[in-house]
Amino acid sequence: DTAVSQTPKYLVTQMGNDKSIKCEQNLGHDTMYWYKQDSKKFLKIMFSYNNKELIINETVPNRFSPKSPDKAHLNLHINSLELGDSAVYFCASSRTSGSSYEQYFGPGTRLTVT
Amino acid sequence: SQKIEQNSEALNIQEGKTATLTCNYTNYSPAYLQWYRQDPGRGPVFLLLIRENEKEKRKERLKVTFDTTLKQSLFHITASQPADSATYLCALAPGSAAGNKLTFGGGTRVLVKP
């Protein structure tokens, strides 16, 4: 059984389009995250939700909007896509928002903006 | 600003030897430090967590040390195997008041040759 799943795995789109990435976890975790991994492989946190409440919101363009319909799902919507948005986006989850808990990552969504 | 450094050069090592990776940080006082493994095209996988008041942690062939005076963590893979070839990421976390905001280093790629 897949613990953290993301769809789609690959996303190729043109500049200016709007796209969404979906994430689901079946681990019963309370906290979910979105990370961006750029071409230099640095993994940076974008957002974190705990029980559907936004608790971490890094300096991310407001074209990026997370949405958590329930604590098992965290989707990422991106408006007006730009070339610089090309990256791999990872969803993750953990038991709580405490720092002592490991995070479980999804397989990633490779976004290519042309 | 906070900085986390891992050796960006790949570590080539012979099978059976011990691989030692470093994670140095500045302008940061982490409460926890975590190590993850990332294989190409996959999400990071949690390996070990060490707290600021712990000097050493072990799990099977893996050992992590944490020196808050030197602001450094060492990650050892003993009796390395070709299957250990991957990129290893260190991640620092503040106390629970800041949520589970992990800040990742850039990772070190390890290649174990048979």
Side-chain angles (χ1 to χ4, degrees), chain A residues 9 31 33 35 37 40-45 55-56 58 90 94 96-108 110, chain B residues 4 31-32 34 36 38 41-46 49 51 89 93-107:
Chain A
K9 186 162 176 61
T31 306
Y33 314 81
Y35 286 87
Q37 189 169 43
K40 294 185 179 179
K41 304 301 182 186
F42 276 94
L43 196 61
K44 292 183 181 177
I45 190 161
I55 57 170
I56 296 175
E58 289 297 284
F90 288 100
S94 67
T96 73
S97 59
S99 301
S100 62
Y101 292 104
E102 64 266 31
Q103 296 185 14
Y104 293 77
F105 284 79
R110 181 174 293 277
Chain B
I4 302 170
Y32 306 93
Q34 301 184 17
Y36 288 78
Q38 187 173 23
R42 293 178 175 251
V45 175
F46 171 80
L49 177 149
R51 292 172 170 76
L89 307 168
S96 59
N100 199 356
K101 180 184 171 183
L102 291 181
T103 303
F104 281 85

Side-chain angles (χ1 to χ4, degrees), chain B residues 18 27-28 35-36 39 73 80 91 93 112:
Chain B
T18 297
N27 297 323
Y28 204 110
W35 282 89
Y36 288 78
D39 291 284
S73 174
S80 59
V112 181

